Amino acid sequence: QVPLVESGGGLVQPGGSLRLSCATSATIFSINDMGWYRQAPGKGRELVARMKTSAITDYADSVKGRFTISRDNAKNTVNLQMNSLKPEDTAVYYCKVDGPYDFSWGKGTLVTISS
């Protein structure tokens, strides 16, 4: 079981910001792409952002320009900075080790956007 420790979820008003973090082991982090996915109530799980070990990024159209994914190689963490949050961003956000050697999900952290 790949260790993944997520943090940073919570309740924020529309237009606000949150920062999610996900830590894993150095070995896992150094050889795999990392991603953030989300699952809104009644919907399927979808990609939010992904960052390869090469630093190439991929974002869902719905979050482009508002969310930024980053990797902290010193701390073996992948972060998701979320700005200009909207009610439709409300979801459980999952960190994922996104291959090519490991594919593991975190337990998820709840993000609620509401006034």
Side-chain angles (χ1 to χ4, degrees):
Q1 184 73 18
V2 173
L4 289 168
V5 179
E6 299 153 323
S7 61
L11 171 65
V12 67
Q13 293 184 343
S17 297
L18 279 175
R19 182 178 175 86
L20 306 182
S21 292
C22 173
T24 188
S25 70
T27 300
I28 295 297
F29 185 81
S30 65
I31 63 174
N32 286 285
D33 303 336
M34 299 293 295
W36 285 97
Y37 291 71
R38 68 186 180 187
Q39 187 165 14
K43 296 186 177 181
R45 197 170 295 188
E46 63 175 359
L47 172 70
V48 176
R50 181 192 296 120
M51 192 169 195
K52 297 181 176 293
T53 54
S54 62
I56 294 173
T57 57
D58 184 22
Y59 292 94
D61 289 342
S62 59
V63 307
K64 284 180 181 177
R66 299 189 297 122
F67 291 11
T68 303
I69 190 170
S70 62
R71 296 173 70 117
D72 186 330
N73 294 326
K75 297 181 179 179
N76 303 316
T77 61
V78 59
N79 305 306
L80 185 68
Q81 178 66 42
M82 306 186 293
N83 298 328
S84 302
L85 284 161
K86 305 175 182 180
E88 51 263 44
D89 294 318
T90 294
V92 178
Y93 284 70
Y94 297 89
C95 177
K96 185 186 180 190
V97 180
D98 229 355
Y101 300 101
D102 296 277
F103 300 87
S104 297
W105 292 95
K107 293 182 179 180
T109 184
L110 178 62
V111 172
T112 303
I113 314 304
S114 176
S115 55

